[in-house]
Amino acid sequence: MDRTLTNFIHALRNAEVRVSTAETLDAFSAVQLVGYRDRALLKRSLALALPKTADEKETFDACFDQFFAFREVSGSRQANGVPSDAGEDAQGDGEGEGGAGGGRQDSEQPSSPASDRQGNRKRKPRTTLQDGEEAEPDLGPGEMSASTSTLGTLLMQDSKVEISLAVSTAGEAVNVRDIQIFTQKGLYTRRIMDEMGLAELNREIADLRDSAAVPERRLGQELRRRREWLREQVRDYVERQFLLHADVTGRRLREELLRKVKLSNVEHRSFRLIQEIVYKMAKRLATLHARRKKVHKKGHLHVPRTLRSNMSYDGAIFDLRWRSVKIDRPRVFAICDVSGSVANYARFMLMFLYSLEEVMPKVRSFAFSSDLAEVTELFERNRIEDAIAKTLRDYAGGSTDYGQAFADFKRLCLDEVDNRTTIIILGDARNNYGDPKAEVLKEMYERCKRLIWLNPEARNSWQVGDAEMRRYSAYCHQAEECNSLMHLERVVGNLLKTVR
Amino acid sequence: MTATAEAVRGRLEAHRYICSEQIATAVYLAYHLHKPVLIEGPPGVGKTELAKTTAAMFALPLIRLQCYEGLDEAKAIYEWKYGKQLLYTQVLKETLEEVLQGAKGFAESVTRLHEFGDIFFSEEFMEPRPLLKALRERDGCVLLIDEVDKADHEFESLLLEILSDYQVSIPEIGTVKAVTEPPMVFLTSNNSRELSDALKRRCLHLYIPFPDTALEQRIIQARVPEIPPELRRQLVQFIQELRGLDLKKAPAISETIDWARTLVLLHSEALHPDLVRETLNVILKFQEDIENVQAEVPILTNKAVKG
């Protein structure tokens, strides 16, 4: 059973729940304590030991239900045959179960008539056949098949636990966990069936069909039905394995791609994923930089206070007092061009900046296409996504006018820019041949600590057409090409290093 | 009494702590695996209360360490009794001469002094703080480290040793281990910041959400037994609806209990828009929230009354 748990933890890790070795050991001891019998208790116990955040708990819930689904079915069936038989009828293999009455007779006498009746009601034409089987259980078609093919025996044993075990074993044997993309599902289903001895079973079924004896033909039919049922089971199994193991692998590939792709080319349906990546990146940067904060916090020795508080110790200095440093948070002004072509970049940069709230100095953001306005408040009051959507809705119209935007900025808050301020401008500097007003940018440049210009266009097109980048870049401390999440991460990472 | 999670739940309920199975399982596992439990969840859902009730349930003393920014080992683990040390040096000044009598030269004096060992840094001069106290408790205890997210990063690292091995290292004395029974440790966090992975790794992680309607009704019944059943139903219904609204701070269980007590005190039998409006300040703690909810009160009350 320990294998099960390890596999489960593997699946969890795949679903991006971080499980350390220590936690694995905890899970083992928890399982030893509570056992596998009570599924709900097992789930609750593992939920305490393995996932460690609210998000992870959700993932864990889904994962657990998927992973232990197969076992649950088999477990409950053993406990009481009737309800789950009904459930299987609904799945469409009622006849398989109903016909199994003969093999099951000794162990589950009371349940078989019930399920048979159900089968009869559903499939009138077969009534005679099934009644016939019921009538002559002594002929024992099950016993005959036992000698011929192993898979047939297994199927006729009518023990779902055994079968599911066999399916997992076969799955392990063909390395179903390596499954990568969904088109491989059919392939793995077939491989597992082969591994379980499908060829042999097929031969047996063919032989039985040609046989003269009625009971043998009957067995052949029965086996055929059960073979289909098994195929269904295996397909389910593969599906689950795919969801557990491959889905995320594919996702990781996609994430890897999305990090490098140009943000303007991102399709709308990938936005959610990108958002998640941004949060993830932001979180990494946040933890990376959260530690540094403390270094600056401890100030110098506060001599007067130390002396005063140690007076009671006869002037011997035991208890040191420190001057605490008052951290005056520097500020970041983000000015974003949100006109059509650049809007997507603005979206993700704002998302990035605001996801970093914890470690980032106070961010004030401005959006413009022709007129510039402050949108900081929008971000304070709404969730990031909503705020971004609103910003784009309200400010994206109109043709780009950098000159006007800078003039607006000057009027609005140039006074508040001081030598601790970092200004980030995101835009392609395409000014529609209007007045660039570079002198305003110069003014900003002189007042602030750093002025960073992020341009989504490739460096070689910075001078082409109506781009004013050459004029502007003279007044930037740093002008960078920035058009993918990777660039963005780098820029923001550097920013965190320098602003704090 | 702790044979199964269900039994633990029963015991907790006997102490008027009504909880979900998840919570009972956490206590059960913590007890049997000797693992600390990190409890997270919105404020007021009974995180601290769980630790207190567990202590009462096992009839163990509760040692509480309230965390705050700037908490350090001197306040959490131990401190030297400087005053006593000074006093003793003063008193012993004369004895010192006897000890050093006949010693020739500085080196010999120091050697003689060394023979007396580090008396001033022995247990007699040590002031144990909560963590050390908890380890020294002979029959075990419940250690509650409250609002650990309020403390600094450094303090988290300080906790790691006690959480994983139930011991603390004191440079002058050595390692102090739990005497016999390791304490049951509960840490609570309001999620004001992300705790380090190292800390989380050493704990069982329990998330307590707001309770569902049925559970909350039972909680109110246990805590405010004198409330009429119909009012209780309406009140819980109202609170549950209220949590669905966009609020700065959603009312927690503690607020529901306060409100129930208030309504009992006012001898009310059923919710009424005016009554709700007048007592809204018991469940909502921000003026902004109160103003926003005012308009919704009649609708919500109606819904709650009708069920």
Side-chain angles (χ1 to χ4, degrees):
Chain A
M1 271 317 210
D2 285 353
R3 186 79 186 272
T4 319
L5 191 58
T6 346
N7 282 346
F8 176 57
I9 286 169
H10 180 78
L12 271 184
R13 285 189 181 139
N14 236 346
E16 302 197 340
V17 177
R18 297 217 332 236
V19 181
S20 69
T21 321
E23 282 157 336
T24 310
L25 291 176
D26 287 347
F28 273 122
S29 31
V31 165
Q32 254 167 24
L33 187 66
V34 300
Y36 279 99
R37 194 162 305 142
D38 184 346
R39 182 174 185 271
L41 180 63
L42 178 69
K43 184 173 176 181
R44 288 201 302 272
S45 307
L46 290 181
L48 288 163
L50 295 172
K52 300 277 157 102
T53 63
D55 281 352
E56 283 183 354
K57 289 215 189 243
E58 251 172 58
T59 321
F60 170 87
D61 273 356
C63 238
F64 185 92
D65 289 341
Q66 239 173 43
F67 191 88
F68 287 100
F70 210 36
R71 281 163 207 289
E72 190 200 26
V73 170
S74 48
S76 71
R77 221 190 83 85
Q78 274 204 322
N80 52 344
V82 186
S84 68
D85 267 1
E88 259 141 24
D89 276 343
Q91 274 172 27
D93 55 11
E95 44 184 344
E97 292 299 311
R104 213 198 301 147
Q105 243 178 358
D106 39 29
S107 60
E108 280 178 54
Q109 188 67 274
S111 80
S112 12
S115 58
D116 276 342
R117 229 174 293 129
Q118 244 176 352
N120 292 350
R121 220 184 309 124
K122 268 193 192 163
R123 280 171 272 276
K124 277 266 154 61
R126 292 193 197 275
T127 313
T128 43
L129 183 69
Q130 286 195 342
D131 280 349
E133 243 181 5
E134 281 297 301
E136 35 186 19
D138 284 7
L139 282 175
E143 282 127 273
M144 268 202 280
S145 73
S147 54
T148 48
S149 81
T150 31
L151 183 55
T153 324
L154 184 67
L155 285 177
M156 290 311 288
Q157 262 174 10
D158 205 42
S159 155
K160 264 189 138 183
V161 181
E162 292 286 320
I163 292 173
S164 68
L165 216 66
V167 171
S168 338
T169 321
E172 293 290 322
V174 301
N175 288 328
V176 71
R177 272 190 275 153
D178 294 343
I179 191 167
Q180 289 259 324
I181 39 178
F182 72 97
T183 44
Q184 287 173 315
K185 280 191 222 168
L187 175 76
Y188 274 102
T189 310
R190 210 179 61 237
R191 275 198 198 157
I192 290 177
M193 293 289 281
D194 285 345
E195 176 71 25
M196 291 179 77
L198 181 68
E200 201 186 347
L201 181 70
N202 282 344
R203 260 200 311 283
E204 191 190 5
I205 291 175
D207 289 348
L208 287 170
R209 193 172 47 212
D210 299 337
S211 162
V214 178
E216 286 193 4
R217 281 222 298 279
R218 210 171 282 140
L219 171 69
Q221 276 179 349
E222 184 59 37
L223 278 178
R224 246 201 336 269
R225 263 183 243 126
R226 285 178 184 227
R227 185 184 58 195
E228 288 320 303
W229 173 81
L230 178 68
R231 204 187 295 279
E232 199 68 23
Q233 296 293 311
V234 173
R235 212 173 283 145
D236 277 1
Y237 169 77
V238 173
E239 173 79 35
R240 264 196 307 280
Q241 297 299 316
F242 172 72
L243 285 176
L244 282 176
H245 300 297
D247 206 15
V248 277
T249 323
R251 192 191 149 115
R252 217 164 276 161
L253 274 175
R254 230 165 41 237
E255 275 187 18
E256 214 32 59
L257 278 175
L258 279 176
R259 285 165 78 104
K260 291 183 192 138
V261 81
K262 269 188 135 191
L263 283 173
S264 55
N265 297 344
V266 172
E267 294 158 65
H268 206 273
R269 67 186 165 84
S270 299
F271 272 13
R272 270 194 70 83
L273 189 60
I274 288 241
Q275 243 174 51
E276 280 170 36
I277 303 176
V278 167
Y279 286 139
K280 230 187 277 171
M281 284 171 149
K283 211 181 148 211
R284 232 200 50 224
L285 283 177
T287 39
L288 212 67
H289 290 276
R291 297 220 153 263
R292 293 172 28 106
K293 195 159 86 182
K294 296 291 164 195
V295 181
H296 305 291
K297 229 181 111 182
K298 206 166 197 180
H300 297 286
L301 187 67
H302 195 313
V303 181
R305 268 186 71 201
T306 306
L307 288 180
R308 222 175 301 138
S309 69
N310 283 296
M311 233 130 70
S312 53
Y313 305 135
D314 210 9
I317 293 170
F318 279 111
D319 193 6
L320 300 185
R321 293 297 157 109
W322 301 92
R323 223 181 264 279
S324 65
V325 176
K326 195 176 160 203
I327 302 174
D328 200 4
R329 290 174 118 199
R331 275 176 304 194
V332 170
F333 284 63
I335 304 174
C336 297
D337 179 356
V338 291
S339 65
S341 53
V342 202
N344 255 353
Y345 299 105
R347 172 195 299 270
F348 293 116
M349 194 183 77
L350 287 174
M351 200 185 282
F352 220 127
L353 289 182
Y354 279 94
S355 309
L356 280 167
E357 230 178 8
E358 267 180 67
V359 287
M360 198 67 163
K362 191 173 161 46
V363 179
R364 286 179 68 179
S365 40
F366 303 85
F368 72 94
S369 53
S370 54
D371 298 315
L372 176 136
E374 179 159 6
V375 291
T376 315
E377 207 171 302
L378 264 179
F379 282 87
E380 275 162 13
R381 273 191 283 120
N382 298 292
R383 287 188 314 138
I384 300 176
E385 300 95 85
D386 298 343
I388 290 170
K390 277 185 191 152
T391 309
L392 292 185
R393 187 194 64 202
D394 295 347
Y395 300 100
S399 66
T400 335
D401 186 347
Y402 279 79
Q404 179 63 38
F406 289 145
D408 283 345
F409 183 80
K410 181 179 176 181
R411 185 171 47 79
L412 271 175
C413 58
L414 189 63
D415 296 343
E416 291 167 55
V417 174
D418 58 22
N419 58 3
R420 289 190 312 266
T421 313
T422 303
I423 300 178
I424 306 174
I425 302 174
L426 179 85
D428 55 7
R430 296 206 172 272
N431 203 22
N432 296 322
Y433 302 104
D435 178 8
K437 293 210 179 140
E439 69 277 5
V440 186
L441 188 69
K442 183 173 176 231
E443 221 172 310
M444 288 156 69
Y445 168 77
E446 279 160 358
R447 288 188 76 112
C448 73
K449 182 182 167 204
R450 270 185 96 68
L451 198 153
I452 305 171
W453 192 300
L454 303 177
N455 194 329
E457 287 188 2
R459 215 170 258 274
N460 51 20
S461 59
W462 282 8
Q463 319 286 350
V464 185
D466 57 348
E468 299 284 359
M469 201 57 205
R470 188 167 45 176
R471 211 168 300 177
Y472 286 145
S473 60
Y475 304 120
C476 298
H477 292 93
Q478 188 184 354
E480 296 259 7
E481 175 185 337
C482 173
N483 52 28
S484 71
L485 284 184
M486 237 172 46
H487 285 153
L488 209 51
E489 187 186 24
R490 205 174 301 150
V491 169
V492 178
N494 283 334
L495 187 69
L496 279 175
K497 251 182 246 158
T498 50
V499 289
R500 302 161 22 117
Chain B
M1 123 177 169
T2 53
T4 62
E6 203 44 49
V8 171
R9 187 176 170 191
R11 293 273 306 170
L12 283 172
E13 291 195 4
H15 284 85
R16 298 208 307 162
Y17 189 87
I18 313 295
C19 63
S20 65
E21 284 157 329
Q22 184 71 63
I23 296 174
T25 313
V27 176
Y28 170 72
L29 283 184
Y31 179 78
H32 284 280
L33 301 180
H34 299 301
K35 277 271 179 190
V37 187
L38 170 63
I39 313 172
E40 288 190 308
V45 290
K47 299 187 290 290
T48 308
E49 200 61 30
L50 176 62
K52 285 194 206 160
T53 313
T54 312
M57 180 176 111
F58 288 109
L60 289 174
L62 175 79
I63 295 179
R64 180 167 175 168
L65 173 65
Q66 187 72 41
C67 294
Y68 52 87
E69 210 177 317
L71 179 66
D72 57 2
E73 53 185 348
K75 305 239 172 56
I77 302 180
Y78 72 98
E79 191 160 35
W80 297 110
K81 295 176 181 168
Y82 299 123
K84 193 172 168 190
Q85 284 172 335
L86 270 174
L87 190 67
Y88 277 47
T89 27
Q90 295 291 339
V91 172
L92 294 177
K93 247 181 194 163
E94 273 108 71
T95 342
L96 213 58
E97 269 168 36
E98 288 169 29
V99 173
L100 294 179
Q101 223 164 33
K104 281 177 197 126
F106 192 65
E108 202 178 328
S109 313
V110 172
T111 328
R112 282 231 193 136
L113 278 179
H114 273 311
E115 285 164 20
F116 289 87
D118 301 322
I119 328 166
F120 284 111
F121 290 98
S122 61
E123 303 240 351
E124 280 77 45
F125 291 93
M126 197 167 64
E127 179 81 60
R129 301 286 186 189
L131 294 186
L132 193 61
K133 241 189 239 168
L135 288 179
R136 284 180 163 180
E137 213 43 75
R138 218 150 266 290
D139 308 314
C141 65
V142 173
L143 172 63
L144 168 63
I145 303 174
D146 212 7
E147 307 197 352
V148 67
D149 52 333
K150 298 269 193 321
D152 309 311
H153 277 287
E154 295 86 341
F155 181 71
E156 267 178 49
S157 317
L158 206 65
L159 281 178
L160 298 181
E161 189 182 4
I162 189 169
L163 290 183
S164 56
D165 300 324
Y166 295 107
Q167 61 175 43
V168 289
S169 297
I170 298 170
E172 295 89 343
I173 290 183
T175 308
V176 179
K177 282 197 176 189
V179 184
T180 41
E181 185 77 4
M184 276 186 89
V185 185
F186 289 91
L187 300 102
T188 72
S189 153
N190 278 334
N191 245 338
S192 71
R193 71 178 168 83
E194 193 76 15
L195 297 172
S196 73
D197 284 342
L199 182 85
K200 286 187 170 179
R201 207 161 49 227
R202 285 165 174 80
C203 303
L204 298 172
H205 184 272
L206 173 66
Y207 183 82
I208 306 186
F210 287 126
D212 58 17
T213 315
L215 190 63
E216 191 159 26
Q217 286 221 33
R218 287 183 50 220
I219 294 172
I220 298 296
Q221 192 178 6
R223 291 282 161 151
V224 194
E226 60 274 23
I227 191 169
E230 176 55 23
L231 179 61
R232 188 178 70 224
R233 189 195 61 75
Q234 291 177 7
L235 171 135
V236 170
Q237 187 74 31
F238 186 90
I239 293 277
Q240 294 271 347
E241 291 283 341
L242 203 58
R243 285 195 192 124
L245 298 182
D246 180 27
L247 295 176
K248 211 164 169 184
K249 187 195 172 301
I253 303 174
S254 50
E255 272 100 24
T256 319
I257 295 174
D258 286 346
W259 200 32
R261 291 211 175 108
T262 312
L263 294 183
V264 166
L265 200 68
L266 293 174
H267 300 294
S268 16
E269 290 292 325
L271 287 190
H272 185 269
D274 289 337
L275 176 71
V276 173
R277 235 176 248 139
E278 278 157 22
T279 52
L280 212 52
N281 54 350
V282 180
I283 38 177
L284 295 174
K285 301 293 164 70
F286 286 94
Q287 191 56 33
E288 196 185 322
D289 281 349
I290 297 180
E291 276 160 21
N292 285 343
V293 170
Q294 286 289 4
E296 311 273 336
V297 165
I299 309 168
L300 287 176
T301 317
N302 247 335
K303 246 192 212 167
V305 170
K306 281 187 190 131

